Amino acid sequence: MCGIVGLVGAPPGLDRDPLDAALHRLAARGPDGIGRAEGMLGSRPLLLGVRRLTLTEPRGPGQPVRRTAGASVDFNREAYIHEALRRDLEALGEAFTAGDDGEVLAALLERRGAPGRGVVEGSYAVAVGEPGRGGLDLGRE
């Protein structure tokens, strides 16, 4: 099942971490792991978090998946064709550390941007934070 949460900007008057509280509420959706990323969306703080239910690779890279160019990908998923996408990306020079579909989606989105989601079959939602560009891409199938 997994779950993604996010917050743009810091609500005034908070004395505790709002992302932590949201991730705690999603614990039943993703009992196998938890991750978070922080960055900026323009001039405002951006917090992304994910709870993970392991479907494809129990020892995968975890969440969020961080790419060398700086993108951070939170993925609530299953990408059904990740093996075929992996082979295509490996032919282009990508190297992967695990059999995790999140790692494949991160590489695809870094190379192709949001239009890359059009080739992914599955049941998923994704949040991609790009600190270098100050962008945030949200999508789902």
Side-chain angles (χ1 to χ4, degrees):
M1 287 191 288
C2 302
I4 298 173
V5 297
L7 178 68
V8 176
L14 287 179
D15 54 343
R16 63 186 177 109
D17 181 358
L19 195 62
D20 186 55
L23 287 167
H24 178 73
R25 291 187 62 100
L26 290 174
R29 294 187 58 84
D32 298 328
I34 188 170
R36 57 186 296 147
E38 298 180 19
M40 297 297 288
L41 185 60
S43 62
R44 300 187 323 206
L46 170 66
L47 301 173
L48 293 174
V50 64
R51 293 296 305 223
R52 181 174 187 230
L53 173 66
T54 303
L55 296 174
T56 60
E57 177 61 42
R59 295 174 314 278
Q63 294 262 350
V65 176
R66 289 183 174 79
R67 296 288 296 168
T68 55
S72 173
V73 179
D74 291 312
F75 184 39
N76 169 0
R77 87 258 225 153
E78 182 176 11
Y80 303 146
I81 61 167
H82 72 275
E83 294 94 351
L85 292 171
R86 174 185 305 276
R87 288 189 298 274
D88 292 346
L89 289 163
E90 286 172 336
L92 296 172
E94 285 290 339
F96 299 98
T97 61
D100 188 77
D101 53 351
E103 190 179 26
V104 172
L105 185 67
L108 176 72
L109 294 176
E110 185 174 79
R111 283 184 171 266
R112 298 187 187 174
R117 288 195 321 261
V119 301
V120 180
E121 296 174 18
S123 174
Y124 67 90
V126 64
V128 182
E130 299 176 278
R133 292 187 3 207
L136 176 64
D137 178 40
L138 305 172
R140 70 180 181 100
E141 178 170 306

